[in-house]
C-alpha cells in the first residue's frame, strides 16, 4: 500500500444517541460500510495511471500523483443543441474527501452530477468512478456503479406513495441479504441518526423540505455507498436546518470514509465541508483547488462571487 494513503479504521459512532434496541445492529451496519469503503479507497488510491493535473496543470493538486482519485472529470464536454453547458471541464475528488461544485445557476453543476450517475452522457471527455471509465457502460453496468455512488436529489426524490420507513428500507430489501427484523432495526436507527426519529410511519408529503432531505440521506446510507452526491442540499431550507445538514454530511464523511460531491451556491456551506472546490462559469472550470486558494484568486468573476456572498450573508 502507498505510504501516502494509510487509512485508519474509522471510529464508528452515531451522529445522535441511538436507542438501545437498535444501537448494536446499526453500529454493525455502519462498521461494515466503513470497512468496505476503507478497503476500496485504498485499492483505488494505489492506481498509478492517473495523469497529474487532469487538464489543470497549474492547480494545487498537480503534485498529488501518488493517489488516484475516486471520481474524476477529464476535459468533459456537454451541450444541449447549441447551448454549451460544459466545455473541457476537469476536476477530481480523492477517496474520502469532499468536493464542492460552486457557481451561479445554470452553469452545469447539477448536469455534472447527472453525468456521474449515468442519467446523461458526456459528449466527449472521460469520467471515471473508482478507476473505471463510465462513458461506455450500458444501463446494467451503470447500476453496478450506482451501488457504489448514490445521489441525494434536491427534491429528495422519495417515493410519495409509501412511508418514510419504507423509503429507507427499499435499498435494504432490494439487496436481499438481511432478515426483516434486522431491516426494521437499521431503518429506525438511520432515521434517528439523521434527526427524524419516530417519523417512519409518516408519508413524505407530511415532512418539511429539510426533513425530506434528511430522509433521503438515510435512504442513501441504507445502500452502504462509497460516495454520495448532494444536489443543492440547503436550497429552500431555513438556516438552522442548513447548519444541521452540513454537520450531518461532515460527520458521515468522517465516520464512514465517504467520498462526497456537494453542489451548492452557498459559500458558507462550502467553506464548512470542502476539501477542494471547483468553480464553474460559462461552461468552464474557472477554478479548481482549495477554498483558501480560491479566496486568493484575482479572477474578477470569483472576486464578485465572494463579494456578493458577503453582502447576502454578513458575518
Amino acid at each position: 500500500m502507498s505510504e501516502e494513503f494509510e487509512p485508519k479504521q474509522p471510529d464508528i459512532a452515531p451522529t445522535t444517541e441511538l436507542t438501545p434496541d437498535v444501537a448494536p445492529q446499526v453500529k454493525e451496519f455502519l462498521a461494515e460500510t466503513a470497512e468496505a469503503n476503507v478497503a476500496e479507497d485504498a485499492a483505488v488510491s494505489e492506481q498509478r495511471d492517473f495523469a497529474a493535473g487532469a487538464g489543470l496543470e497549474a492547480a494545487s493538486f498537480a503534485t498529488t500523483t501518488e493517489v488516484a482519485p475516486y471520481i474524476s472529470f477529464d476535459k468533459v464536454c456537454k451541450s444541449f443543441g447549441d447551448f454549451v453547458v460544459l466545455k473541457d471541464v476537469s476536476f477530481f475528488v480523492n477517496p474520502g474527501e469532499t468536493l464542492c461544485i460552486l457557481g451561479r445557476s445554470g452553469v452545469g453543476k447539477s448536469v455534472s452530477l447527472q453525468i456521474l450517475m449515468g442519467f446523461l452522457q458526456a459528449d466527449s471527455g472521460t469520467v471515471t468512478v473508482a478507476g473505471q471509465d463510465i462513458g461506455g457502460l450500458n444501463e446494467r453496468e451503470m447500476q453496478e456503479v450506482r451501488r457504489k455512488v448514490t445521489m441525494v436529489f434536491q427534491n429528495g426524490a422519495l417515493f410519495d406513495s409509501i412511508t418514510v420507513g419504507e423509503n429507507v428500507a427499499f435499498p435494504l430489501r432490494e439487496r436481499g441479504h438481511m432478515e426483516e427484523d434486522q431491516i426494521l432495526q437499521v431503518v429506525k436507527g438511520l432515521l434517528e441518526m439523521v434527526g427524524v426519529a419516530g417519523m417512519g410511519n409518516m408519508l413524505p408529503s407530511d415532512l418539511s423540505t429539510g426533513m425530506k432531505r434528511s430522509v433521503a440521506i438515510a435512504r442513501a446510507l441504507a445502500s452502504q455507498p462509497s460516495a454520495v452526491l448532494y444536489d443543492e442540499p440547503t436550497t429552500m431550507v431555513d438556516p438552522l436546518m442548513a447548519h444541521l445538514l452540513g454537520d450531518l454530511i461532515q460527520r458521515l464523511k468522517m465516520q464512514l470514509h465517504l467520498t462526497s460531491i456537494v453542489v451548492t451556491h452557498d459559500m458558507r456551506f462550502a467553506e464548512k465541508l470542502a476539501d477542494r472546490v471547483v468553480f464553474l462559469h460559462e461552461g468552464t472550470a474557472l477554478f479548481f483547488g482549495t477554498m483558501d486558494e480560491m479566496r486568493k484568486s484575482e479572477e474578477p468573476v470569483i472576486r464578485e462571487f465572494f463579494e456578493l456572498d458577503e453582502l447576502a450573508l454578513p458575518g
Side-chain angles (χ1 to χ4, degrees):
M1 182 179 295
S2 168
E3 292 181 358
E4 285 78 7
F5 188 83
E6 295 183 354
K8 297 180 180 179
Q9 181 67 29
D11 180 18
I12 299 302
T15 59
T16 58
E17 191 68 29
L18 294 174
T19 52
D21 60 324
V22 300
Q25 185 69 46
V26 174
K27 288 181 179 179
E28 180 181 352
F29 183 79
L30 297 178
E32 289 175 358
T33 304
E35 184 178 0
N37 288 347
V38 167
E40 181 171 25
D41 289 352
V44 169
S45 295
E46 288 185 335
Q47 297 176 22
R48 300 297 188 203
D49 57 355
F50 177 62
L56 294 171
E57 292 83 3
S60 63
F61 61 81
T63 59
T64 61
T65 56
E66 292 301 313
V67 176
Y70 193 85
I71 291 170
S72 71
F73 271 41
D74 186 7
K75 299 181 180 179
V76 171
C77 298
K78 179 65 182 177
S79 298
F80 297 100
D82 294 332
F83 179 55
V84 178
V85 181
L86 302 175
K87 182 180 180 182
D88 289 334
V89 168
S90 298
F91 60 81
F92 73 79
V93 54
N94 280 336
E97 291 188 346
T98 297
L99 171 77
C100 286
I101 304 179
L102 296 170
R104 296 187 176 92
S105 298
V107 296
K109 302 189 300 295
S110 296
V111 168
S112 298
L113 299 190
Q114 292 181 55
I115 291 173
L116 271 170
M117 294 298 293
F119 303 143
L120 294 172
Q121 286 287 324
D123 297 332
S124 61
T126 304
V127 179
T128 63
V129 175
Q132 181 179 22
D133 182 350
I134 67 170
L137 301 185
N138 59 35
E139 181 59 24
R140 181 187 61 80
E141 292 167 331
M142 276 306 305
Q143 288 290 352
E144 292 302 311
V145 174
R146 292 175 195 138
R147 292 181 186 276
K148 300 178 181 179
V149 182
T150 189
M151 185 166 169
V152 176
F153 293 86
Q154 189 176 142
N155 63 3
L158 301 174
F159 301 118
D160 293 332
S161 59
I162 60 177
T163 66
V164 164
E166 291 297 308
N167 266 278
V168 178
F170 184 82
L172 296 172
R173 294 199 174 107
E174 191 176 45
R175 295 174 71 176
H177 69 287
M178 295 178 67
E179 299 293 335
E180 184 63 19
D181 61 335
Q182 293 176 307
I183 290 174
L184 296 177
Q185 288 180 317
V186 169
V187 167
K188 181 180 178 182
L190 290 177
L191 292 176
E192 290 177 3
M193 282 182 60
V194 301
V196 288
M199 299 184 184
N201 291 325
M202 299 175 68
L203 290 172
S205 59
D206 298 324
L207 304 181
S208 68
T209 299
M211 288 178 179
K212 287 179 183 177
R213 289 189 190 146
S214 294
V215 173
I217 292 173
R219 186 177 63 181
L221 295 177
S223 65
Q224 295 186 301
S226 297
V228 181
L229 315 179
Y230 302 89
D231 189 8
E232 295 282 11
T234 61
T235 297
M236 296 179 65
V237 301
D238 61 75
L240 176 58
M241 179 57 76
H243 176 76
L244 294 174
L245 286 171
D247 284 348
L248 176 61
I249 292 170
Q250 186 76 339
R251 287 194 291 261
L252 292 174
K253 166 196 167 182
M254 300 302 295
Q255 292 165 3
L256 304 182
H257 206 76
L258 288 174
T259 302
S260 307
I261 295 181
V262 182
V263 162
T264 183
H265 64 280
D266 186 336
M267 189 67 74
R268 304 292 177 91
F269 198 68
E271 288 180 329
K272 181 174 186 172
L273 297 178
D275 295 294
R276 292 183 180 88
V277 296
V278 59
F279 187 91
L280 300 182
H281 177 68
E282 295 183 350
T284 66
L286 197 60
F287 173 85
F288 178 71
T290 67
M291 184 64 75
D292 286 342
E293 290 167 337
M294 184 174 166
R295 284 200 171 277
K296 297 173 184 176
S297 172
E298 297 300 323
E299 173 62 49
V301 173
I302 293 177
R303 298 309 317 157
E304 181 184 18
F305 195 82
F306 275 112
E307 289 165 6
L308 291 174
D309 181 71
E310 289 171 357
L311 287 173
L313 291 169

